[in-house]
Amino acid sequence: MTTPAIHRIHAASPRRRSPARAGTRSQTFVFRFDQLPEVKRTAKTWDEVKALLGGKGANLAEMTRLGLPVPPGFTVTTEACRAFLKSGNWPRGLWEEEVAALHDLESRTGKRLGDPANPLLVSCRSGAKFSMPGMMDTVLNIGLNAETVEGLAALTGDPRFAWDAYRRLVQMYGTVVLGVRDEPFEHLLAEWRARRRVENDADLEPEDLRAITARFRTIVREQSGREFPDDPMEQLRLATEAVFRSWQGKRAQDYRRAAGIPDDLGTAVNIVAMVFGNMGRGSATGVATTRNVSTGEDALEGDYLINAQGEDVVAGIRATEPIARLAEEMPEAFTELQRIARLLEKHYREVQDIEFTVERGTLWMLQTRDAKRTARAAVKIAVDLAKEKLITREEAVLRVTPEHVDFFLHPQFDPESMRTARSERRLLASGLNVSPGAAVGELAFDADTAERWAKEKKAVVMIRAETKPDDVHGMLAARGILTSRGGRTSHAALVARQFGKPAVVGVMALEVDAEKKEATIKRSSVVLREGDWVSIDGTTGEVFLGQVETMQPSLEDPALIELLGWADRFRRLGVWANADYPRDAQRARALGAEGIGLCRTEHMFFETERLPLVQTLILSRDEAERNEVLGKLLPLQRADFEGLFRAMDGQPVTIRLIDPPLHEFLPAHDTLLKQVTELETRLELKSGNAKDQTLDLAGKRTLLGAVERLREMNPMLGLRGVRLGIHMPGLVRMQVRAIFEAACICAEAGVEVFPKIMIPLVTHGNELRWEQRALEAEAKKVMAEQKRKVRYQFGTMIEIPRAAITADEIASLAQFFSFGTNDLTQTTFGISRDDAETSFLAEYLTEGILPENPFDHIDEGGVGRLMEMAVRLGRKVRPGLNIGICGEHGGDPKSIAFCHRLGLDYVSCSPFRVPVARLAAAHAALHEAKKTAR
Amino acid sequence: MTTPAIHRIHAASPRRRSPARAGTRSQTFVFRFDQLPEVKRTAKTWDEVKALLGGKGANLAEMTRLGLPVPPGFTVTTEACRAFLKSGNWPRGLWEEEVAALHDLESRTGKRLGDPANPLLVSCRSGAKFSMPGMMDTVLNIGLNAETVEGLAALTGDPRFAWDAYRRLVQMYGTVVLGVRDEPFEHLLAEWRARRRVENDADLEPEDLRAITARFRTIVREQSGREFPDDPMEQLRLATEAVFRSWQGKRAQDYRRAAGIPDDLGTAVNIVAMVFGNMGRGSATGVATTRNVSTGEDALEGDYLINAQGEDVVAGIRATEPIARLAEEMPEAFTELQRIARLLEKHYREVQDIEFTVERGTLWMLQTRDAKRTARAAVKIAVDLAKEKLITREEAVLRVTPEHVDFFLHPQFDPESMRTARSERRLLASGLNVSPGAAVGELAFDADTAERWAKEKKAVVMIRAETKPDDVHGMLAARGILTSRGGRTSHAALVARQFGKPAVVGVMALEVDAEKKEATIKRSSVVLREGDWVSIDGTTGEVFLGQVETMQPSLEDPALIELLGWADRFRRLGVWANADYPRDAQRARALGAEGIGLCRTEHMFFETERLPLVQTLILSRDEAERNEVLGKLLPLQRADFEGLFRAMDGQPVTIRLIDPPLHEFLPAHDTLLKQVTELETRLELKSGNAKDQTLDLAGKRTLLGAVERLREMNPMLGLRGVRLGIHMPGLVRMQVRAIFEAACICAEAGVEVFPKIMIPLVTHGNELRWEQRALEAEAKKVMAEQKRKVRYQFGTMIEIPRAAITADEIASLAQFFSFGTNDLTQTTFGISRDDAETSFLAEYLTEGILPENPFDHIDEGGVGRLMEMAVRLGRKVRPGLNIGICGEHGGDPKSIAFCHRLGLDYVSCSPFRVPVARLAAAHAALHEAKKTAR
């Protein structure tokens, strides 16, 4: 074999294969584990290897190449699978290659398939490029028949083991290869257990198992019309075919659709010599991670069982032992395992998740792959690996995802409590982890119940087959959402993420009967009923029975702080925060914010003591009354701003002048209309105290009149923002006075202040010209009165298409821009978010009409083009114009990357998103640097 | 004088005057009428001449140059005025020039200023570049004093005439030059008339007039502290100065602001030898137009008076004679006048408005200018002049404005009835003609009264000093609007144009006292009170007392038809119509439409028999019920489309699928809420028939629930357009079926059909991909069923910013674009038209924050840039893409010009706007051709 395998892998691509090499096709469908060449392992070549051999096959070959104890075996490539699925037949030469590889296997093991004296047994496992756990098929113990089973019994001295293995082969073969239902097999086993009064199949006698196997063969014949094949070669051939076919199974297809895996990849098939952890006390089997994947602690972590098979560990039928005990029970194997673990980590530069078996004292590695981990572990591991110089700091930063950081903001299950739940077999099923966080609650099968219970202060988890817009009120009331159908962009997933509700969707093992208010776990006897407690983990996708304890992770995590410090050095974007109150500003600053990008002054107006003043202001029709109210509001606003300036000493504070339509400060129209109508009817019917009612009615009518005057057909597009400022100049003038009085007072006290006054909803340069002139005059007046000058800027939001289109004119006036991408998205799309997210927008997302929710991620093709235009036009007129974003997208990693590419100066987000944004901004810069390097 | 005057006029511009020519400055401030050179009279040079000499001075000089009998005189230039106003003093050399010109005048007339034996009298009249009728000052009869008055009496043998002239000079001089109020003079005259029991001042005896003149001089001295100057040179100097100053008078400034005339032009002063039409039966004075300016008929038209002064004709104190009678009374003068009229028309290539005086048999021309005319006359005159080869057809088309064509759509006053009103001195005043059409009604001084009266079926004209948003309900209820203040962009003007209400604003002669409900006409004794009948002409700006008869002009006018035929040959833009019903389509086609650019299918749903079906459709929650309703709607819609196709045989018919939010088809929410609340209260109080009420309540509650489910915060941005089509696919599928069934039936009957199916409110290419695929499938299905193929297209509205921004992707799917500029303006500006036009938008327009209403004229800087982008991106992907506009801007001439420049294929507007659009499209093409030629 002189040609490096990786080159052959390339050559195997149909487009590259030259006619001259057609004769050597025998090299292209099957690869032995020891055929992987010594090539530079880059992300790209490794990706190609995995695409051809599947993840499992690639890693088995890699471990073989590293000289680790992997049972001999070979991989039938994904290309073979694709060719098979395309034509429905075995591609020419494949079977011959497989047979040749098998013979090689026989010569290495010294055993032979079907040899009663020394039978070779092999497993036949699926293994696609991307992990699809449990979605495709596996057949173990291939090679057993009436003769070899006796040979195995003799060879191992363990007839119970040999017959159980044979029984398993017949059952697996029947269900997987011949499509027989599992029930008759399980029914028969249950009968025998009952007859022998034992708990487990393993406690049945060899004779029982022999009888059962005979009956299993009958079941196979009766149900499939075909005989269980005694010829091991036929077993192998048909098993290979079945694994190929399982790629097209409904379960696998559904999974791929949900997980976003392409349909045309195909699966590889791994044929491996069987090793047994259940050959007595000297044998064992286990799973481990090279570090603790819950906490990130640097210690081998896992579980094993003496004298058991791999599936026993996972199934949790027997209580497992912690891996540390293996040091006592099998010290040599444990030392070897530790050495291998360390070696694998070094080699893969990543924590590994491994499977092993000890067969009569000999350690065999059955699998390795990058370990899944909790967010907390991900952060600690990345930092530790960087400190150990296994990876660079840049890599460490890139290995932690914004979602990992986000995790620190959501309650999570306590790892101990989860372990307990697992060991108590309360892990019911897994689904897609579509909205992070942990939720514990009683199951409600419909939205109305969920809502009612929530009102009764019950903790509710809402369960549905899938959700629809009608369910939204229930979803909002629930602590968490659980569905049996739907993928990452299903209605349930979207709504859950939207409102930050933990959710697990697409739990395929779950069958929900909304009518009966029952959910059954397939392949188990568990039935969930209304009111049953469940715990769902939206971070991992796991569903537990009962209550798992939760804990609030802390952002104080030292590893996180260290990692974010590294991130700060890599990023170019500033990270500011949206904060309306001093306490928010303090929190934001503690989390790393470098300024306030948005203070919504109107939020201050909604406070209890102020709202009546604001209402008086709105309802007053004479100047004197208005001025009196403004006089009362001034000191309150000034105190607000003082607090903000002190909290942000030395950093910019962007204050947006009043924005929302006035009716938001008044009582709801419909309530008033109902009250007035009721009072009118009562008066007409002379019911109750007429005098009081008349008085009440008059007041209510006045208020209703005012509300109706201010009412708008489309308030989103109405009298708000700068329009309000121009319409009611006194109010914004008061705000500017408050800002500058506060700034002067703080400056006097030695605080370094830098107010940036932001005028919202500008559409036309003239609005800014008018408003800015008036307000800057007031600012100068205050500074003259206070005999102090403070640094300040006037700027504007870019949140209306016209502002973006005419950004050149606007930049001639504004000293800074801040994108209000919520409103900009609404107007660019002509979509009212309030209405759409519970109606057609959800429909659009589930149907794929919109690829993603433009309110979650900036719509780069539309809204983004307007932003790009605004940046270009603005900086053309005012080079170096300071530009940021303060819409909700400012905290979304994908949008942050876009803002980085646009050349924005900063993103501003809610205080808790600041750490996420710091990391995302660093990612954006690092990805750019990588791209430039290429 | 060897240098042609036009060159000197150029040289007179301060920037061009070289120091070497400073000595010749005496030539630059004053021009004699006979100094205008023979230069090629282009629009540009003529404009320069008018800018320097004023309109009146330029035309007097031009007539002099043509050899017409103009009394000798000269013009003090606008430059002199500007210099005077700038420094407040006479510029160096001006007076010397004026004196020299006067001496020249003396030598030509053989008379001398101040010579008792043969006194020269001159007038001193303002005359700016743009006509500002009555806004600036005039002093006549300069040159009279105690001595010359006797000379004049002797010379004319008419002491009454001489003393009346002197009396007038003193009065005019006092008021104009010395700023004395007019009342003491008029009071004195009234006293004398009473004493002598005569009606008119002219009937007073010479001795009376002598006594009055003496008293007038006393009044002048007492009121101004200055003596009336006896020195005629001083009279001339001070009168010149007064005319200069009158440019800065408040009246003149207000007028300029309203009419959009720049403030820095200054006025010229014309000093002309007086000629008198009141020197006995051989003298006369009159005004005429060279053609009939009401009808356009080719005949001299005007009025004159024997033995009268010009002002007598205008003032209407004596009944005038029609000009035709002059042929009998003064045949020679008449013949000469006719000859001159024809000559002037030929020279100016335009109908002229002339003033003349016959002094003892000699005809003198006192003024000529382009005649104002009615729209009807404008069209006929333009067509006639082209036929007479005086102008080209292109010029004819350009001379008729879209407003002229628009006139044919509004009721107008009957010219006869107007003439009568004028002769009865019922023409009260004039203002700005801001919204065309005639309105007759009773005066209401406030909006509530206007509204109440309108409800009582009274015809109302609402009168205000100026209007505010609070007045809008009254304005909408009124037939017409009349204000004393405000300009072309005042609130009143905007609202009136918006709603097509005739309006005259800025009537400065009017003083409105809303409290007293009285309006007085300044300088007259007329007082208008609530309920008085008035007639206002929004086309001319005139206000009449009483009821003037109206007539509906007809679009059948042959001249108009001919002119529009010419226009059609010049334009490049197609003109299509928006029509929802066959009758509209027929009308549109008769008016020249070349296709239907927008059929709003939902309008058909609002018809009485259909609305209940549509409501059932919306409320039904099951498929079967929905299908049943759709089955009933199908034949109705099919019949609609059949009618349209037949009406438009051979032309394209663009049908927009259902667009508005569903709640528009349901009862109003607030009404239902009131009803439900009232019923609930009644039931609670056990009033009335409980059983019936319970039943009623249940029904109302169900309906209210449905309405609330469909209710949206911002319906403009909600579930409508293509979103609705995707959400409720059955409804649009039915519409497409109806379209294609109708098309097949019509095609079968030999009608040439070309349906263009238009999908509204598209935001993302995927929407179109989804919807078009489904609907085109239905279309093909119908054609297969009907065994017929018809030509058709699927296209989309571009009415959301994102659609314009991503027009390339959209054009890859859509076969045509149609701009919906109403919605595009709303979303690009973030302005809800319904709300804004009665609130901040009006404020923005009056304050000048927006230069014009973007819903009237396309906002070229914002919305227009998006349109340009859509055209460019769309045609990049699909060259030759058919693009039109169907928003209301499609009927606005300014927007049509913009659409022409953008390269659109057609504009579509309401049927009645079609003729306007045809003309505007021709204008756009002709202006472009002119520009290209330059």
Side-chain angles (χ1 to χ4, degrees), chain B residues 581-614:
Chain B
Y581 302 99
R583 63 177 179 274
D584 296 336
Q586 277 154 4
R587 185 179 295 133
R589 191 162 194 171
L591 293 172
E594 299 154 314
I596 298 297
L598 174 64
C599 163
R600 285 156 291 219
T601 50
E602 63 269 13
H603 280 198
M604 303 165 171
F605 290 163
F606 284 109
E607 300 206 345
T608 329
E609 89 240 57
R610 304 179 187 187
L611 194 54
L613 284 176
V614 177

Side-chain angles (χ1 to χ4, degrees), chain B residues 70-346:
Chain B
V70 175
F74 57 87
T75 304
V76 181
T77 65
T78 55
E79 200 200 343
C81 172
R82 289 194 296 270
F84 176 87
L85 291 175
K86 198 176 168 192
S87 68
N89 287 311
W90 283 70
R92 194 160 61 88
L94 170 57
W95 179 242
E96 290 73 16
E97 277 188 58
E98 195 170 337
V99 170
L102 182 74
H103 290 327
D104 180 75
L105 195 53
E106 288 174 333
S107 72
R108 277 161 194 270
T109 53
K111 302 178 180 181
R112 275 190 43 237
L113 199 69
D115 179 354
N118 192 13
L120 172 66
L121 301 194
V122 298
S123 63
C124 182
R125 291 172 193 267
S126 61
K129 178 176 180 184
F130 302 106
S131 172
M132 294 168 59
M135 291 301 131
M136 287 179 303
D137 291 327
T138 286
V139 183
L140 302 178
N141 304 342
I142 288 169
L144 285 174
N145 57 23
E147 287 137 36
T148 53
V149 70
E150 299 292 358
L152 186 64
L155 213 62
T156 58
D158 190 347
R160 200 211 55 80
F161 157 73
W163 280 102
D164 191 49
Y166 189 24
R167 182 277 300 177
R168 282 173 197 260
L169 171 64
V170 177
Q171 183 175 359
M172 272 190 178
Y173 198 91
T175 53
V176 170
V177 180
L178 299 175
V180 176
R181 284 183 313 124
D182 207 32
E183 284 80 354
F185 298 115
E186 291 297 333
H187 188 73
L188 191 73
L189 280 171
E191 255 180 40
W192 277 87
R193 284 198 301 270
R195 193 184 302 167
R196 300 293 179 220
R197 299 173 202 278
V198 298
E199 277 273 332
N200 294 318
D201 299 339
D203 299 330
L204 293 166
E205 291 302 308
E207 280 317 300
D208 297 337
L209 290 164
R210 178 198 295 267
I212 289 168
T213 306
R215 290 288 306 277
F216 273 18
R217 294 183 59 125
T218 311
I219 291 172
V220 167
R221 185 175 56 248
E222 285 174 3
Q223 301 275 333
S224 74
R226 291 172 69 176
E227 201 64 59
F228 173 81
D230 283 326
D231 176 5
M233 290 303 277
E234 195 184 345
Q235 289 173 5
L236 179 64
R237 184 176 168 110
L238 291 175
T240 305
E241 225 178 281
V243 173
F244 283 163
R245 286 212 179 90
S246 68
W247 175 260
Q248 302 285 55
K250 188 175 173 333
R251 261 190 309 157
Q253 286 192 21
D254 289 348
Y255 183 91
R256 286 200 297 275
R257 186 160 321 126
I261 298 173
D263 271 333
D264 58 359
L265 298 178
T267 182
V269 186
N270 298 294
I271 316 289
V272 191
M274 291 290 299
V275 291
F276 298 97
N278 53 348
M279 282 197 172
R281 297 295 311 167
S283 299
T285 191
V287 295
T289 53
T290 56
R291 303 195 183 201
N292 185 319
V293 292
S294 292
T295 63
E297 198 195 336
D298 184 12
L300 202 60
E301 179 73 23
D303 308 272
Y304 74 99
L305 282 171
I306 295 287
N307 193 18
Q309 277 201 307
E311 54 186 338
D312 301 334
V313 177
V314 180
I317 298 170
R318 285 164 52 191
T320 59
E321 299 290 340
I323 201 82
R325 279 218 54 189
L326 194 66
E328 297 159 30
E329 294 201 302
M330 295 180 174
E332 274 177 40
F334 182 76
T335 307
E336 174 69 356
L337 188 64
Q338 270 195 317
R339 185 189 69 82
I340 290 172
R342 191 54 72 186
L343 188 149
L344 285 173
E345 255 193 9
K346 266 227 164 85

Side-chain angles (χ1 to χ4, degrees), chain A residues 103-310:
Chain A
H103 289 328
D104 180 77
L105 195 54
E106 287 174 335
S107 71
R108 277 161 196 272
T109 53
K111 302 178 182 181
R112 275 189 44 236
L113 200 69
D115 180 355
N118 193 12
L120 172 67
L121 301 194
V122 297
S123 62
C124 180
R125 292 173 193 265
S126 61
K129 179 175 180 186
F130 302 105
S131 171
M132 293 166 59
M135 293 301 132
M136 287 181 303
D137 290 328
T138 287
V139 182
L140 302 179
N141 304 341
I142 289 171
L144 284 174
N145 56 22
E147 286 137 35
T148 52
V149 69
E150 299 293 0
L152 186 65
L155 215 61
T156 58
D158 190 347
R160 200 209 57 78
F161 158 72
W163 280 103
D164 191 47
Y166 189 24
R167 182 275 299 175
R168 284 174 197 258
L169 171 65
V170 178
Q171 182 174 1
M172 270 190 181
Y173 199 90
T175 53
V176 169
V177 180
L178 299 176
V180 175
R181 286 181 314 123
D182 207 32
E183 283 78 356
F185 298 113
E186 291 297 332
H187 188 72
L188 191 72
L189 280 171
E191 259 181 38
W192 278 87
R193 286 197 302 270
R195 191 184 302 168
R196 300 294 180 220
R197 299 172 203 280
V198 298
E199 278 273 330
N200 294 319
D201 299 338
D203 298 331
L204 292 168
E205 290 303 311
E207 280 317 302
D208 295 339
L209 290 165
R210 178 196 295 266
I212 288 168
T213 306
R215 291 288 306 276
F216 272 17
R217 292 182 59 126
T218 312
I219 291 172
V220 166
R221 186 176 52 248
E222 285 174 1
Q223 302 274 333
S224 74
R226 291 173 67 175
E227 201 65 59
F228 173 80
D230 282 325
D231 175 5
M233 288 305 275
E234 195 185 344
Q235 289 174 3
L236 179 63
R237 186 176 166 110
L238 290 174
T240 306
E241 224 178 284
V243 174
F244 283 161
R245 287 214 179 86
S246 69
W247 175 261
Q248 302 286 54
K250 189 176 172 330
R251 261 190 310 157
Q253 286 192 23
D254 288 350
Y255 183 91
R256 286 199 297 275
R257 187 159 323 126
I261 298 174
D263 270 334
D264 58 359
L265 299 179
T267 181
V269 185
N270 299 294
I271 316 289
V272 191
M274 291 290 299
V275 291
F276 297 96
N278 53 349
M279 284 201 172
R281 298 295 309 166
S283 300
T285 190
V287 295
T289 53
T290 56
R291 302 194 184 202
N292 184 318
V293 291
S294 292
T295 63
E297 197 196 337
D298 184 9
L300 200 60
E301 180 72 23
D303 308 273
Y304 73 99
L305 282 171
I306 294 286
N307 193 17
Q309 276 201 306

